[in-house]
Amino acid sequence: MTTNNNTNNAGAGEPPAYLVCPITQDVFVDPVIVPSGNTYERSSLLVWLAENPVDPCTREPLQASDLTPNRAIRDSAEEYRRQFQHQTSTSSETCLLYTSDAADEED
């Protein structure tokens, strides 16, 4: 049986991948699940949706009304923080996904 180190590395002090937002790369605080099944940090996804009305990973159309709290991930993230006293940042400024327009503006 093979173990996926990306999701099972909590012993090394790194959070499991399923507890990390793909936008912020931080442990979830207020995770939401979208129709595609992906989970994101609510505040960062709302910032993303204000500029790009699509799922950041699938590029499928997405609206704020499509967001559903992901209580299981929230509870797991809270437990992780309790166990490892992991400091998280919920700032949308750490968003790693950019539109091509945003990249052009930075040049």
Side-chain angles (χ1 to χ4, degrees):
M1 185 166 150
T2 304
T3 301
N4 181 345
N5 288 333
N6 289 338
T7 60
N8 198 13
N9 60 358
E14 293 294 319
Y18 68 91
L19 294 180
V20 176
C21 176
I23 298 173
T24 66
Q25 299 298 300
D26 288 326
V27 174
F28 289 112
V29 174
D30 184 16
V32 292
I33 191 166
V34 299
S36 67
N38 292 312
T39 297
Y40 303 99
E41 182 62 37
R42 180 187 303 272
S43 60
S44 296
L45 184 56
L46 290 173
V47 169
W48 169 265
L49 290 176
E51 296 290 325
N52 312 281
V54 297
D55 182 311
C57 291
T58 67
R59 302 294 192 224
E60 293 293 319
L62 186 64
Q63 299 176 357
S65 61
D66 296 327
L67 311 183
T68 302
N70 191 332
R71 292 180 183 95
I73 294 296
R74 182 194 63 210
D75 293 347
S76 294
E78 287 174 359
E79 179 61 25
Y80 173 80
R81 282 192 300 280
R82 276 194 297 274
Q83 287 183 353
F84 295 97
Q85 299 176 347
H86 188 76
Q87 299 298 315
T88 61
S89 169
T90 58
S91 171
S92 61
E93 295 174 351
T94 61
C95 181
L96 299 178
L97 299 175
Y98 298 96
T99 64
S100 58
D101 293 339
D104 292 341
E105 290 174 8
E106 291 179 3
D107 290 339

